[in-house]
Amino acid sequence: MFEDALKFYQDFPKPGINFVDIIPLLQDKDIFRSLTQTISSLVTAPTVAAPEARAFLFASPLLAMDGNVTNVVPFRKKGKLPSNGDDIQEIAIIKEYGTDTLYFRKSDIAAGRIEDGELRVTILDDVLATGGTAEGIAKALEALKITVDGKECRVRVAEFIFIVEIDCLEGRAALEKIAPVHAIAHV
């Protein structure tokens, strides 16, 4: 169902890349409703990490649903998150067509709900290609120690959820060493 709604653009953003356009999933009320319900059923952690920018579109509605999500943490490009002191954390990521840097605030992670002495996080992204963005986020989060109410907590990635997985790029393999991987659509 979801695969049928996707569009593809050859040689975008550069030659050799077959771009998967997920915007059509946002242009049909019934598809979007079904997709957000499917995502909600897969999320087990109260905090969702959403890298810029399309993941925001799918993570935010989870806050209004009856599921487990109580906190959405944006992972943004440089200069997009205001902060105080050493709150901002930088992550170097390797994408299928180059490197990039994302940023998040420790205070946004700390706003999450603690369960059994840890902050569990679901990483939600639009497309799983090589897995570099999700792996970079996961490694940065799991290296963190967050202090909440005077107690130090570790951050643990509970699962990865992707709207679309590009199967031939085999990005899943590295991520499965960290946490379970769920993809809703496959191309």
Side-chain angles (χ1 to χ4, degrees):
M1 168 180 159
F2 301 119
E3 288 91 348
D4 295 338
L6 301 172
K7 290 184 181 177
F8 300 89
Y9 294 89
Q10 291 292 331
D11 299 321
F12 181 83
K14 67 181 205 174
I17 302 291
N18 185 19
F19 186 83
V20 179
D21 185 6
I22 62 158
I23 297 303
L25 300 174
L26 299 167
Q27 296 171 329
D28 182 298
K29 183 177 182 175
D30 293 332
I31 290 174
F32 185 72
R33 180 183 297 116
S34 178
L35 180 59
T36 53
Q37 289 170 343
T38 300
I39 294 167
S40 181
S41 73
L42 295 171
V43 173
T44 65
T47 295
V48 174
E52 187 160 311
R54 294 179 294 180
F56 300 170
L57 301 171
F58 298 98
S60 297
L62 299 174
L63 291 166
M65 299 179 79
D66 290 333
N68 194 36
V69 178
T70 60
N71 184 27
V72 172
V73 178
F75 285 70
R76 307 286 320 263
K77 297 201 178 200
K78 187 173 182 139
K80 301 290 184 179
L81 287 173
S83 68
N84 293 316
D86 68 345
D87 197 23
I88 289 284
Q89 299 292 294
E90 179 178 325
I91 306 169
I93 57 171
I94 300 171
K95 299 172 88 169
E96 58 274 13
Y97 44 86
T99 60
D100 207 347
T101 306
L102 291 177
Y103 300 82
F104 70 97
R105 292 183 294 222
K106 290 187 293 186
S107 60
D108 291 341
I109 298 292
R113 188 172 70 225
I114 298 171
E115 296 176 333
D116 299 323
E118 62 186 14
L119 289 156
R120 293 176 51 250
V121 176
T122 295
I123 297 175
L124 171 64
D125 205 356
D126 58 345
V127 176
L128 171 55
T130 61
T133 299
E135 184 178 20
I137 290 171
K139 287 181 176 181
L141 289 175
E142 291 200 335
L144 276 181
K145 297 290 185 198
I146 299 290
T147 301
V148 178
D149 296 329
K151 294 181 183 176
E152 190 173 84
C153 302
R154 70 176 276 228
V155 179
R156 184 173 63 82
V157 174
E159 67 257 332
F160 298 93
I161 300 173
F162 298 93
I163 308 303
V164 178
E165 180 176 358
I166 303 172
D167 295 328
C168 68
L169 295 179
E170 301 178 358
R172 172 183 290 261
L175 300 179
E176 286 179 327
K177 295 175 186 173
I178 301 169
V181 177
H182 306 282
I184 296 167
H186 293 266
V187 296

